[in-house]
Amino acid sequence: MKRNKNREGFTLVELLVVITILALLIGLMLPAINAARAMAQQMQCGTKQKDLALACNLYEGKYKFYPACGRVPSGTGASSSDRDGYSFLVDLLPFIDQEAIWNELDLNQEMKSDDENPSDGKKANKPKTALSQSLASFRCPSTATSAFVDMTADREDMVAITNYKAVSASTQDSYNISAEGTKGKPYGTGKDATTADGVMYIGSKTKNASVSDGTTNTLLLTESEEQNFSRWIVGQECGLYTMIEDYTFEAPNASGGYAYYRPTGFETNKYATNATQRMDNMTQNLNRNYAVDPYPWNDLPTSKKAPGDTPTYNEESSYGPSSSHRGVTVHADAMGAVRVLNNDLDPAVYFFMTTRANGDPNPDLESLD
């Protein structure tokens, strides 16, 4: 039997050349694949916020007001400024196909450990059990956060977090008006305000009709990379303010024709540019360096009745509005439309988009998407 001495095959050099070419092609394709994956995750994030915003509108349609960022159990005698109230995400459970969890809660009772067999005839209440469940509807696909505050805890003690939060106010001063139940002058206008200036804040009952700046011009939701102060059942941890707290506002200037509060340095007709502020002096939270200037969760009252231990404040990583998307943070407006905002967004625009009834000018939001 003769052997085929002329059988062709690859030499070692040829194999190495082929492998090198394949490696180069893969290297060229990876950035495009990663970019496509990141864009898909960003779109999924927008879809989740859109679903939550639409659920807020369904809630408003049923009860005639948007859910409060945090509300107080009605049977406890606490005030509407109490920080221990259930979050708006709890109110949305029946509207996002989570009736099973909703049926385990009694919002007329305090938010504390489970009470499966109440002696006073009340409904069983299981907030601890509810909070141990991480819901995909509350999690951004791109987030760098863990699903639970402490991943090392025993399973029954795990506390799930949310990446999606209400845009409650423009400044910390405004946020605290609702949180503390006091009056304040957050804009330096000499006028007392009795509520925060966003749509959903602590104890709010904002009607759709009272969003006079327009539901398409007013933000309802945003996202955050905060790991600790993000328990999805706790109202005080599910709302944020948008501007850095030392931001300076000026009263309306009648002689200049302004019919709105204008941030210092604001220039007319430049809403969607960076011309109103220097890039190294941005004063809205999307562009905030949280590692250097952390979001002040430690300055806000803590919930003492919520299931689980009070979160630990971490100065090296404490976040307000933020995301893991490249250069942008996803929001949803009060109409339910998705708004993908650049992190270097003009602070005047972000301020206008936060307030619900401030008589602000309406920037061309389509140019910001």
Side-chain angles (χ1 to χ4, degrees):
M1 181 175 179
K2 294 182 179 180
R3 294 183 180 180
N4 185 0
K5 296 182 179 181
N6 297 321
R7 185 177 60 180
E8 295 182 358
F10 290 107
T11 66
L12 179 59
V13 173
E14 289 173 332
L15 284 173
L16 290 175
V17 170
V18 171
I19 292 172
T20 301
I21 292 173
L22 290 174
L24 289 173
L25 290 174
I26 292 172
L28 292 173
M29 292 174 60
L30 278 178
I33 293 173
N34 290 335
R37 181 186 296 113
M39 182 57 65
Q41 291 175 336
Q42 180 179 305
M43 292 177 66
Q44 290 173 1
C45 176
T47 298
K48 290 186 177 186
Q49 287 200 51
K50 181 181 181 69
D51 290 343
L52 291 176
L54 293 177
C56 288
N57 278 276
L58 290 173
Y59 182 98
E60 197 277 341
K62 181 175 181 178
Y63 296 102
K64 309 308 177 186
F65 55 84
Y66 290 99
C69 170
R71 66 163 172 160
V72 178
S74 59
T76 64
S79 69
S80 63
S81 62
D82 193 307
R83 290 299 196 89
D84 289 323
Y86 291 94
S87 78
F88 75 98
L89 295 173
V90 174
D91 281 318
L92 295 185
L93 289 174
F95 299 91
I96 58 173
D97 298 325
Q98 295 294 338
E99 290 87 352
I101 299 178
W102 170 258
N103 290 333
E104 291 186 336
L105 298 171
D106 182 358
L107 273 59
N108 293 319
Q109 299 185 47
E110 288 186 346
M111 180 175 52
K112 54 183 181 179
S113 297
D114 290 359
D115 188 0
E116 299 187 30
N117 299 296
S119 57
D120 52 7
K122 292 183 178 179
K123 174 185 173 182
N125 190 35
K126 304 178 183 178
K128 183 178 179 182
T129 298
L131 193 51
S132 69
Q133 301 180 62
S134 178
L135 301 183
S137 297
F138 303 159
R139 299 278 293 160
C140 172
S142 298
T143 185
T145 61
S146 301
F148 300 90
V149 172
D150 182 3
M151 295 294 292
T152 66
D154 293 336
R155 183 65 187 87
E156 63 272 15
D157 294 325
M158 283 189 167
V159 176
I161 73 169
T162 178
N163 295 122
Y164 301 130
K165 304 191 178 189
V167 177
S168 296
S170 60
T171 65
Q172 185 178 356
D173 285 342
S174 180
Y175 183 83
N176 285 339
I177 290 173
S178 65
E180 297 171 0
T182 60
K183 293 183 178 181
K185 301 178 177 65
Y187 311 115
T189 63
K191 298 180 180 178
D192 280 334
T194 55
T195 69
D197 53 9
V199 176
M200 300 192 301
Y201 49 87
I202 302 294
S204 67
K205 288 190 175 181
T206 305
K207 298 180 180 180
N208 181 283
S210 66
V211 186
S212 58
D213 284 351
T215 53
T216 59
N217 301 316
T218 306
L219 296 175
L220 192 68
L221 302 173
T222 186
E223 55 181 321
S224 177
E225 288 295 281
E226 172 59 31
Q227 176 67 55
N228 296 316
F229 290 86
S230 294
R231 295 173 291 179
W232 68 261
I233 205 173
V234 183
Q236 63 153 325
E237 296 175 14
C238 290
L240 297 169
Y241 60 88
T242 58
M243 314 300 290
I244 292 181
E245 60 271 14
D246 60 359
Y247 200 69
T248 302
F249 291 92
E250 293 180 354
N253 184 345
S255 62
Y258 295 104
Y260 50 85
Y261 303 118
R262 58 187 182 96
T264 300
F266 173 76
E267 296 178 20
T268 307
N269 297 326
K270 293 185 178 179
Y271 306 145
T273 73
N274 293 318
T276 64
Q277 291 286 337
R278 293 172 53 190
M279 285 299 293
D280 60 353
N281 192 36
M282 297 295 283
T283 47
Q284 43 88 350
N285 278 328
L286 294 182
N287 206 39
R288 185 171 184 164
N289 186 345
Y290 291 109
V292 175
D293 184 18
Y295 191 87
W297 287 108
N298 61 329
D299 292 344
L300 303 174
T302 57
S303 176
K304 298 178 177 60
K305 298 177 183 178
D309 297 331
T310 299
T312 302
Y313 178 70
N314 187 343
E315 286 193 356
E316 296 181 356
S317 57
S318 190
Y319 295 86
S322 52
S323 80
S324 289
H325 309 302
R326 181 172 296 181
V328 300
T329 302
V330 180
H331 298 66
D333 65 29
M335 180 62 76
V338 176
R339 302 296 182 185
V340 181
L341 302 181
N342 290 327
N343 290 341
D344 61 355
L345 179 69
D346 188 311
V349 177
Y350 205 33
F351 172 62
F352 295 155
M353 295 175 74
T354 299
T355 59
R356 70 181 184 277
N358 217 31
D360 299 327
N362 298 329
D364 181 9
L365 298 184
E366 296 301 324
S367 68
L368 304 178
D369 289 345

